[in-house]
Amino acid sequence: MKKKTAFQFAVLCGVPFVMVLGNSMLIPVFPQMKKAMDLTQFQVGLIVTFFSIPAGILIPLAGFLSDRYGRKPIMVPALFVYGLGGLICGFAALFLKDPYILLLVGRVVQGAGAGGTYQLAMALTGDTFQSNERTKALGLLEAANGLGKVLSPILGSLIALFSWYAPFFAYGLLAFPIGLGVWFLVPEKQAQRSKDTLAEYWRKLKEVFRDQAGHLAASYLVGMVALFLLFGVLSYVSDVLESTYDILGLKKGFVLAVPVFSMALTSYLSGLLLCDKQSLWKPIIVGAMFATAVCLALLPLFAELVPYMTVLFFLGISIGIVLPPINSLITGATSTDRRGMITCLYGTVRFFGVAIGPPTFGLAIEQGKWFLFLGSGAIAIVAAITALFGITPPSISEYTAE
């Protein structure tokens, strides 16, 4: 990668980095929000939900529009909308006595912007680079996403030392310059644009599902459940670290980063080691989901912080192992001309998993820890069984054929 190209790509890597902060950076601040606005745990969880649902809904539309009009004309305005939503939240908290409703409105705006960011950055990377350079570039893009995951709880805790609503202003401070950088510094090839109408777009999508409904449904379910469990657990643990272990501020950010770090590192290594081992994808997915269930069932047994965080560390590993083979199964499930649709729909499903995790855990904890974690473990087992009977990994020839 040439020096100039490397710099341009580094700017593009800012897109997944800032997008992944959308929820993760707020998780360590949840207890402060809960106290400042006098909210229930369920209401705090809705701060994630109101971001993730519009993001998930708009991802396929953003993919469709980018195929017709280009990646940058959709992605750059989306980054500005993302930053604007953060500022609405921040100013609502700064000036209103009861900011919760307007804060949720701001999160909807922010989520709408997030729907046109990371997936389009991946598409632009695929358009720009070829063969081995493309694989390397996509790996770096995913690394930026992973770096954002690891740093987000630390950044959230650090920025919240100023105020519980300060992280919302950070979204604007990051998104606006990244958007300008992408527009002015990152080139986009003038490729032939899609002429499909929206009706034709959905017709092709239905054709794909008619051919591979069981495989795709099982793969989507596993990906959604993995993110549902991760963000549900993180939102719960954020509250427990303060209420039970009296861990506050920046220290809590570092503690919360432990399972996120193990997940991000394992995802990277899993993708690296399993990329050409298609026969292992299905057993690893099934085994990792069962391991996730075991970790969840063990959590209520521990009261001391070190063993508690050790279990969470292994929970991050089990979820991290799952994601790369699931990603590969979905992106390899169809031909190039329909891959964008399937990938964007997968992004929607993942966002829905993130959206319902925190509020669901907030409701379930009212029935007690055992109900919460045994129920969560049962959901992981259902996903594992679904993968066992529903996923059909491709042969090497099928996966490499284009």
Side-chain angles (χ1 to χ4, degrees), residues 94-350:
L94 182 62
F95 292 115
L96 297 181
K97 184 178 180 180
D98 186 10
Y100 181 66
I101 298 301
L102 187 56
L103 189 145
L104 291 181
V105 172
R107 289 292 283 169
V108 170
V109 173
Q110 194 178 9
T117 54
Y118 182 33
Q119 280 71 25
L120 299 194
M122 291 180 67
L124 180 57
T125 301
D127 297 340
T128 304
F129 296 95
Q130 302 297 322
S131 61
N132 292 336
E133 282 287 300
R134 178 188 294 168
T135 303
K136 187 187 299 183
L138 286 171
L140 290 171
L141 207 66
E142 188 62 40
N145 183 276
L147 180 64
K149 285 187 176 77
V150 174
L151 292 182
S152 54
I154 299 170
L155 286 174
S157 299
L158 182 62
I159 297 170
L161 294 175
F162 296 98
S163 172
W164 66 266
Y165 52 80
F168 291 113
F169 288 103
Y171 293 124
L173 293 175
L174 289 169
F176 294 151
I178 289 173
L180 291 172
V182 170
W183 184 259
F184 289 108
L185 300 176
V186 178
E188 179 175 5
K189 289 184 177 179
Q190 296 302 312
Q192 184 176 356
R193 303 299 176 200
S194 169
K195 303 298 182 183
D196 284 351
T197 65
L198 192 57
E200 290 170 331
Y201 182 84
W202 288 114
R203 179 182 57 78
K204 288 182 178 180
L205 189 62
K206 286 190 288 186
E207 287 177 358
V208 173
F209 272 89
R210 184 188 61 203
D211 297 336
Q212 299 204 50
H215 170 71
L216 285 173
S219 300
Y220 283 173
L221 177 68
V222 173
M224 184 182 75
V225 166
L227 273 295
F228 163 81
L229 294 173
L230 177 67
F231 275 84
V233 167
L234 288 176
S235 66
Y236 167 78
V237 171
S238 177
D239 193 59
V240 166
L241 288 177
E242 289 200 10
S243 60
T244 303
Y245 299 105
D246 197 30
I247 296 176
L248 309 170
L250 189 58
K251 184 179 179 182
K252 184 171 79 168
F254 278 101
V255 174
L256 276 174
V258 169
V260 180
F261 171 76
S262 65
M263 186 209 71
L265 179 62
T266 307
S267 289
Y268 174 74
L269 294 175
S270 175
L272 196 67
L273 298 174
L274 298 175
C275 61
D276 58 348
K277 298 177 176 64
Q278 289 85 354
S279 62
L280 296 179
W281 290 354
K282 181 174 178 176
I284 281 177
I285 290 167
V286 174
M289 290 310 296
F290 274 114
T292 298
V294 171
C295 290
L296 290 166
L298 289 174
L299 276 174
L301 295 174
F302 299 102
E304 296 296 323
L305 181 62
V306 172
Y308 193 81
M309 293 308 301
T310 300
V311 175
L312 287 174
F313 178 83
F314 283 104
L315 178 67
I317 289 176
S318 63
I319 292 175
I321 291 173
V322 166
L323 294 177
I326 282 290
N327 294 348
S328 296
L329 284 169
I330 290 170
T331 57
T334 187
S335 57
T336 304
D337 63 326
R338 301 180 186 186
R339 186 167 295 148
M341 293 183 289
I342 295 301
T343 304
C344 283
L345 190 59
Y346 176 51
T348 292
V349 171
R350 282 170 58 113

